[in-house]
Amino acid sequence: MANRPLQLTLNGQPVGPVDIPDDLPMIDYLHEYKNLTGSRLGCGQGICHACVVIVDNPDGTSEEVRTCITGAHYFEGKQVRTIEGHAKRDESGQVTELNPIQQRFVDEFAFQCSYCAPGFVNAATVLVEKLQRQPTVHSKLEQVIEDSLGHHVCRCTGYVRYYNATRNVLTDLGLVKEG
Amino acid sequence: MKLFLTRLALAAGLAAPVLFAHADDQAKRGEYLARAADCMACHTAPGGAPFAGGLPIVSPFGTIYGTNITPSKEHGIGLYSDDEFFAALTEGKRRDGAYLYPAMPYTSYHLMPREDSDAIHAYLKSIEPIERAAPVTSLSFPFNVRLGLMGWNVLYGKALKLEPAEGKSEAWKRGQYMVEVLGHCGECHTPRGLPGAMELDKRLTGGILNGYLAPSLLATDLAARGWNEQDLATFLKHGMSAQGTMFNEMFPVFHNSTQGLSDTDLAAMATFLLGDKPPAAKALVEVPVDKLGPSALRGRQEYLNVCAGCHAAGGEGKPHIAVAMRGNTTLRLEDPRNLVRVIEDGIGEQKFSGFEHMQPMPGFAGKLSPAQLTDLINYLRQGWGGQSAELAVSDVQKLQAEAPSIEHKAH
């Protein structure tokens, strides 16, 4: 396999161009080249979604992409956020404030072993941002959460605390209207 | 007198089990024949009771619903005599005299011998009646006038004639019956003309179904795509072989029908399809990276980006996850239609015999631009399909535009 240059924006910072193998999976690039080890390699076959990152599209929407089955070069020129990019940090890089989803997941003990947590945080963050553009209504809330988080696999908590915490964040942020 | 009565009682006692045994045998034989004829496919709705009907069959003329063929007297075929059942099966004629739409493959079943029809009927009479009406088929004018099928039937109802079997092996003859009549493979694998009838001069050369190609089953075409007898029989038995897995409309055929057929019959089907003297399966010549065309070379990177995670960088696939691209029969088809459709639609999780399964493949509709999709397809076809010509973006866009407007459930 040959090397080819990759350039992208990672957690708001421009990266590259850097020569990396043309068949390098994105999860390996994050772990081995960027030391961003928060995205988890779970099943390695696109099922568990522990490895997802967020891609911000030019039209203002965002989506999750599984890095275990997607090559790093797929992200050429794209805006990518990983779990390491959500919290606010001080100048020394220390975390000063978690994002609302992260904080709520901690407060409500949403995860246990935490292996799936980065994926759930990214999925719920995408959902929060989506509803910030277009809020939902109470009658659809359960389904909206199921549609957004349902494809993530958790083997410890049974999902209930993840779902409850997400519902509480969305409600507190005023993203769930009457109806 | 007493002796006579005793003899009579003995005779009755002996005769009854014999009669029942005959009926049981007939129903059992009928169960196998119904499986080979894949009655289940159209006469069972997803998640519904077996043979209770309700499956919507989308045709160019509108949606036709599979009927309830359980022995319910009110909603099924409980009142059918063997004669009436035979007429329905082979002439497309309902008990009340109305004509069935030729979604019912009487155009193939008309070559079924009476004893097989009776056996299938015996089996269907033995199953649990389901007292539930299947949705009524209601096509728009003029297709709602079933009488119009009278003329159609004169022209096409019994037009299928089998290839003469003189000089052929017994396996070939059995395979011909399994493929052409019971399996009614030609109903999908044959192109259809304007009146919706099979173009029998192009029998088994491939047809289009819900936007997908049911590929040619001609021996030379099968061999060109890498098929031999053993792999064909394995494919029918297990739904997968070195050439890939069954997907789309063939997946339920595997589940409902071919996986439950005897090894002898499956081998016979392969013998018929490839012939008593099968042509040699064409060896695949892989094109090295430095010999790829410009589009295919770009497509290689698309493949590494979004396909190699499951199908592997070298195209060897991953067991129980994703099929190999190397040697995959769909890549070797000259017509790229199925590649376009599968990449756009994806394939749902597939369960096969035993614990075997393949994971869902995501659909890439809207995720790849027409140019990216074209590059990717050119790479797959050149790299592992033996197709040297590069498709233009417009070729792929044309196929994209031909996607069925209905929501299609990919398997």
Side-chain angles (χ1 to χ4, degrees), chain B residues 43-377:
Chain B
H43 291 285
T44 304
F51 303 111
L55 180 88
I57 302 160
V58 178
S59 81
F61 312 105
T63 300
I64 296 165
Y65 290 94
T67 52
N68 182 338
I69 55 168
T70 71
S72 160
K73 288 187 169 63
E74 190 180 351
H75 304 294
I77 58 169
L79 295 173
Y80 275 62
S81 67
D82 280 350
D83 284 344
E84 288 162 346
F85 184 78
F86 187 62
L89 214 57
T90 59
E91 296 173 35
K93 213 176 210 179
R94 240 163 40 180
R95 182 169 176 271
D96 63 4
Y99 291 103
L100 296 170
Y101 290 110
M104 169 73 178
Y106 57 87
T107 38
S108 295
Y109 293 161
H110 75 90
L111 294 162
M112 193 186 294
R114 176 62 190 257
E115 62 265 29
D116 283 3
S117 167
D118 287 353
I120 293 173
H121 193 206
Y123 166 64
L124 291 174
K125 282 191 289 189
S126 75
I127 65 175
E128 188 189 348
I130 304 296
E131 303 299 340
R132 184 172 175 275
V136 177
T137 296
S138 176
L139 304 187
S140 57
F141 184 81
F143 307 116
N144 59 342
V145 184
R146 287 180 185 256
L147 202 59
L149 283 161
M150 189 188 276
W152 193 94
N153 284 337
V154 169
L155 288 171
Y156 307 112
K158 297 194 173 180
L160 175 66
K161 303 276 188 287
L162 296 186
E163 184 185 338
E166 280 86 32
K168 306 289 189 185
S169 68
E170 287 307 309
W172 188 96
K173 290 174 193 167
R174 175 66 178 171
Q176 183 185 45
Y177 181 56
M178 294 293 290
V179 168
E180 294 269 44
V181 182
L182 281 178
H184 60 279
C185 308
E187 299 279 342
C188 295
H189 288 273
T190 300
R192 288 183 182 271
L194 268 185
M198 290 186 281
E199 295 181 38
L200 291 175
D201 54 332
K202 297 176 188 162
R203 193 164 88 234
L204 298 181
T205 61
I208 307 284
L209 195 64
N210 292 330
Y212 282 75
L213 176 73
S216 166
L217 299 182
L218 298 185
T220 47
D221 293 337
L222 286 169
R225 303 202 302 273
W227 289 101
N228 58 40
E229 278 183 287
Q230 194 181 352
D231 286 349
L232 258 187
T234 299
F235 191 62
L236 293 167
K237 182 79 181 175
H238 298 291
M240 60 169 63
S241 65
Q243 290 81 357
T245 60
M246 297 221 186
F247 63 95
N248 200 253
E249 298 285 349
M250 267 311 279
F251 190 65
V253 174
F254 153 71
H255 258 278
N256 296 325
S257 178
T258 61
Q259 71 167 339
L261 301 182
S262 72
D263 291 347
T264 313
D265 277 343
L266 294 174
M269 291 167 82
T271 299
F272 168 69
L273 289 169
L274 285 167
D276 278 324
K277 291 177 185 163
K282 191 176 170 189
L284 178 65
V285 180
E286 292 186 34
V287 178
V289 174
D290 60 355
K291 295 279 191 287
L292 293 171
S295 169
L297 194 58
R298 291 192 299 272
R300 178 176 169 276
Q301 190 59 51
E302 301 294 344
Y303 177 83
L304 293 173
N305 288 353
V306 296
C307 310
C310 297
H311 294 288
E316 61 270 32
K318 290 185 179 172
H320 324 300
I321 296 173
V323 295
M325 294 291 95
R326 186 187 287 161
N328 190 294
T329 191
T330 300
L331 274 56
R332 300 183 73 174
L333 281 166
E334 195 180 338
D335 186 337
R337 177 184 298 270
N338 285 358
L339 266 183
V340 173
R341 288 267 49 82
V342 166
I343 295 170
E344 291 235 294
D345 298 346
I347 301 178
E349 184 180 7
Q350 294 180 305
K351 292 186 188 301
F352 295 95
S353 317
F355 295 120
E356 187 56 85
H357 77 291
M358 287 285 162
Q359 288 191 173
M361 167 176 161
F364 289 89
K367 305 267 184 197
L368 294 173
S369 69
Q372 287 174 313
L373 181 61
T374 306
D375 291 343
L376 174 57
I377 288 172

Side-chain angles (χ1 to χ4, degrees), chain A residues 1-2 4 22-23 44-47 63-64 66 68-75, chain B residues 300-302 304-310 313-314 318 320-321 359-360 362 367-368:
Chain A
M1 292 294 169
R4 60 186 288 136
D22 56 11
D23 65 340
Q45 48 200 67
I47 300 298
E63 61 186 306
E64 298 171 68
R66 290 164 283 182
C68 74
I69 57 166
T70 308
H73 289 284
Y74 170 81
F75 298 88
Chain B
R300 178 176 169 276
Q301 190 59 51
E302 301 294 344
L304 293 173
N305 288 353
V306 296
C307 310
C310 297
K318 290 185 179 172
H320 324 300
I321 296 173
Q359 288 191 173
K367 305 267 184 197
L368 294 173

Side-chain angles (χ1 to χ4, degrees), chain A residues 30-95:
Chain A
L30 294 173
H31 287 181
E32 307 297 335
Y33 288 73
K34 301 306 296 175
N35 200 27
L36 294 173
T37 55
S39 304
R40 299 278 163 70
L41 177 65
C43 65
Q45 48 200 67
I47 300 298
C48 77
H49 289 75
C51 66
V52 297
V53 296
I54 300 173
V55 171
D56 295 318
N57 298 317
D59 65 1
T61 62
S62 299
E63 61 186 306
E64 298 171 68
V65 179
R66 290 164 283 182
T67 58
C68 74
I69 57 166
T70 308
H73 289 284
Y74 170 81
F75 298 88
E76 171 68 31
K78 290 186 163 63
Q79 308 265 345
V80 178
R81 281 182 284 161
T82 68
I83 185 68
E84 291 88 350
H86 297 314
K88 289 181 181 158
R89 295 169 190 269
D90 62 19
E91 285 177 0
S92 68
Q94 291 300 305
V95 171

